Amino acid sequence: MIIEEREMGQCWRDLADVLAAGIDRVVLYGPPGTGKTYAALHAGVARGPAERLVCTEDLTTGEITGTWMPVGDGTWRWREGPAIRAWAANGGRGGRLVVDEVDRASGDALSTLLAMTDSLESARWRHPETGEWTRPGPEFSVVMTTNVEEFDDLPSALRDRFAVRLRVDRPHPDALECLSEDLRGPALAGSLGDESRRLSLRSFYAFDRLRRHCGASRAAELVFGDARASAVLDALRVAALS
Ligand SMILES: Nc1ncnc2c1ncn2[C@@H]1O[C@H](COP(=O)(O)OP(=O)(O)O)[C@@H](O)[C@H]1O
Ligand SMILES: [Mg+2]
């Protein structure tokens, strides 16, 4: 099945348009498993790999900007964190910083994240080793991702800072293309239901792989659970007929 244009989803077109327009601060939110992190890492990243920071409740400022590390013989060196590396990437022009699961960051870590992702004009940071003030390169960009369903569930400080927020509500077409052809329609349909009935793209990836080894019935039980396996298998049969 070719994923038709209308099924691509407005959200992915919006992201492409926003990045093409040079918007460099974006939040992607919505159900898990649609390709937000993948897009944050790759979309509009022309040079060099993106820096990725996965937030947890325990995230520290040091994990964002950097920490002192012992290098032997009693000396310590400053090891830059992902935010500062992204500021300076590509020979100082700046690269992409991906802040994943940003809803989990809080307190000092969230404040530091907001400071590091402030506008190019405002963001400043003093290198603890050299004492020099640095600023992000002109091409520094930030994509934050979160699996919260509603943007209002994010801390207000964050909501105010990122003017462009896109709710991603369906898998990226390229992600669907990674599945065997017969699974693409059911995987798309499964991702669109409400939260309690939704089936994630990741589960279809696992099913696709597993069924080659142990057949569709057992793979469906293992991945989707006894209660939902037969519904998934029925959906596959219907899709095959059409
Ligand atoms: N554009 C894409 N091309 C290929 N694979 C993709 C694409 N987008 C997502 N995927 C795959 O789909 C799965 C879910 O994507 P991920 O970005 O982790 O989702 P989310 O961040 O929305 O939870 C991952 O295995 C990822 O590698
Ligand atoms: Mg993610």
Side-chain angles (χ1 to χ4, degrees):
M1 186 184 93
I2 304 294
I3 303 302
E4 290 175 25
E5 171 71 4
R6 74 189 152 78
E7 286 172 339
M8 174 167 176
Q10 189 62 38
C11 55
W12 294 114
R13 271 194 294 271
D14 288 346
L15 177 62
D17 288 348
V18 157
L19 293 175
I23 298 288
D24 51 16
R25 300 288 187 279
V26 179
V27 178
L28 302 179
Y29 69 101
T34 53
K36 297 183 299 299
T37 299
Y38 188 99
L41 289 168
H42 300 285
V45 179
R47 277 184 287 266
E51 292 285 347
R52 180 181 181 183
L53 187 60
V54 184
C55 302
T56 65
E57 289 77 8
D58 302 325
L59 181 73
T60 61
T61 292
E63 288 168 300
I64 302 167
T65 52
T67 43
W68 290 98
M69 300 285 286
V71 289
D73 64 23
T75 52
W76 293 67
R77 296 223 56 177
W78 180 261
R79 173 89 56 83
E80 287 172 350
I84 299 299
R85 289 199 301 268
W87 276 22
N90 301 317
R93 284 196 297 255
R96 167 71 50 82
L97 175 66
V98 176
V99 182
D100 239 347
E101 323 281 355
V102 66
D103 53 293
R104 304 212 185 138
S106 60
D108 286 353
L110 182 59
S111 306
T112 304
L113 278 176
L114 293 175
M116 303 314 291
T117 57
D118 205 346
S119 64
L120 293 184
E121 297 74 34
S122 306
R124 291 284 177 284
W125 178 76
R126 193 160 190 210
H127 198 294
E129 206 165 34
T130 64
E132 279 173 28
W133 284 96
T134 57
R135 55 198 297 185
E139 292 172 23
F140 174 64
S141 66
V142 186
V143 179
M144 294 192 169
T145 82
T146 162
N147 294 335
V148 301
E149 294 277 336
E150 301 300 331
F151 191 71
D152 286 349
D153 293 342
L154 291 174
S156 59
L158 188 66
R159 278 182 288 155
D160 298 342
R161 248 7 134 69
F162 278 66
V164 176
R165 4 25 214 288
L166 301 176
R167 186 169 197 282
V168 175
D169 62 359
R170 63 186 58 213
H172 192 281
D174 293 349
L176 287 170
E177 294 280 334
C178 295
L179 285 168
S180 297
E181 221 172 307
D182 65 319
L183 296 185
R184 293 174 196 165
L188 177 62
S191 69
L192 300 179
D194 64 40
E195 207 172 345
S196 60
R197 295 186 311 121
R198 215 177 276 149
L199 299 171
S200 82
L201 192 59
R202 288 192 191 92
S203 57
F204 278 94
Y205 284 150
F207 172 74
D208 204 3
R209 183 172 281 251
L210 207 50
R211 71 176 174 172
R212 284 175 219 147
H213 292 269
C214 56
S217 304
R218 187 153 150 68
E221 276 164 26
L222 287 168
V223 174
F224 300 107
D226 291 345
R228 306 186 71 183
S230 58
V232 172
L233 293 170
D234 285 348
L236 286 181
R237 273 180 222 113
V238 171
L241 288 176
S242 64

